Amino acid sequence: MRILLLCSSFNGLTQRAWLELRRAGHDVTVELAVSEQVMLEAAQLAKPDLVICPFLKDKVPAALWQNQRTVIIHPGPPGDRGPSSLDWAITDAEPEWGVTALQAVEEMDAGPIWAYRTFPLPPEPPRKSSLYNGPVADAAVELVLEVAAKATDPAFTPAPLDYRRPEVRGRLRPAMRHADRKFAWSEATDVILRRVRAADGAPGGRTVLGDSPVRVFDVYRGPVLSGTPGTLAARREGAVLVHTGDGTVWVGHLRRDEPDAIKLPAAAVLGDELLEGVAERPGYSEITYDRSEGVGVVSFDFYNGAMSTDQCRRLASALRYAVAQDTKVLVVRGGEVFSNGIHLNVIQAARHPELEAWMNINAINQVCREVIRCTDQLVVTSVGGNAGAGGVMMGLGADRVLMREGVVLNPHYRTMGLFGSEFWTYVLPRRVGASVARQLTQAALPVGAAQALEMGLADGVLPGARLEFERSVLEYAERLAVSSDYGALLAAKRERREADERRKPLDAYRVEELAEMSRDMFDDRSGFRAAREAFVLKRKAAATPEHLAAHRELSGASTWG
């Protein structure tokens, strides 16, 4: 079928829907719903058999849904209505939630139901972003495929919304207001965690810290300590420990509650004056190292996958330590988001953004170097979450890349106005060849896990939720460490690395890439400054991005798709 995807942004969920529908053989067009006129023009141009809205904040024009079958993917169970579904689900500690595919009608979220999925919610409140990118996205992609299949059946009719039916357990909920997101540090830790996580990653929990109104993100339960609520108990790795009514919480990120303020590590927002005299304390760490007899695991979990200069330096240090151990296999394990490369928010907030960007790219290159030059162990990358730009290239430096089903890669830099570094000119062609590497970086389109396996970006794709996936990767690494051909594999790796070094030293790739990056960062030859500002300040796109529009005209002409 010809399918038009209308979306508010080409985010991870929309990318997965686009990939899976194309993989199922459909002709799929993507259009950003920047206005009613654009939505109507997109439908006139695409002439779709079906319109699907996997992530749409605005109402579909009546002139569209009255003339085209239009299905909305709503992040709530049957009967749930309103724009703040996930926020309320977390705030109200719902034990179960769901996703519903419903037909667009005049009244929002009240149309006939095509299909739905439900799933349990954990007792510990999840971050809204984790919930959206995890079970909600998984269910939504299943529904998109089911809707496309049902649309080909002329006998199928969606079921009218009927609150008398047992599966219709949702209700109309209002949009969450600013007042609903406020909290006081004197409240219980559980209340604060739930309030903040229901607003993470946007718009954040609202409170006052150090006499300044702030938005709070990225919170974790801390130890039970006595102290005045709202005062700082400790700091570590950019996070601060804040006293609550019955304990403490670690706060990873803050944003001043003012226009165009940037979300940053909490310590950077509070500044040296407020942090004076606040001691470092263990109990919070973005990077850990664990080992068994034969396998070492370096785990890192950076908020939204962004890696600042300091974080890269800490990760490079952890990798150096791990490489020096007597284990046989090193697993490099990312977090909820594997990595999206350099930290654009920290760069934008720096006194000299160009210099900070330069330091950041050099620091992440050092991380990549540690992975590539590890020749005393076999290295396995555990990609359990999405990755983009330099984060993809960092993972490709390993000997084996294992990826979780549902992961989406964006192995390109062009949309940010950068040539790219992280030794991509070495590790990407090494896996997929020069021609495909050029196509991936220039087309600037996402790649799904199954596609990554087919083209050689991944060596294995494993099912399951993130924890199940990580257990499977660890079992794989343990088998690799005791395999009878381990010695031959390690010897072959060393020979390849030595041959590659003789052919062209690793430092030569780094120097060539950085020469290009210096022009992008300091001379701004490709619009890095404007692209960075638009990303950091969440400026709404005025039109569908150029690379998506170009793909629309080509309509699936990619040889690797």
Side-chain angles (χ1 to χ4, degrees), residues 243-288:
H243 288 289
T244 67
D246 62 355
T248 60
V249 292
W250 284 103
V251 177
H253 285 74
L254 294 169
R255 178 169 70 82
R256 295 196 180 278
D257 202 353
E258 55 191 40
D260 285 344
I262 297 173
K263 187 191 305 182
L264 294 167
V269 173
L270 295 176
D272 293 339
E273 186 176 344
L274 280 175
L275 293 172
E276 187 177 357
V278 178
E280 292 271 344
R281 178 189 177 94
Y284 171 92
S285 183
E286 300 170 309
I287 305 167
T288 60

Side-chain angles (χ1 to χ4, degrees), residues 198-214:
D200 203 338
R206 304 183 73 205
T207 192
V208 174
L209 188 57
D211 296 327
S212 296
V214 292

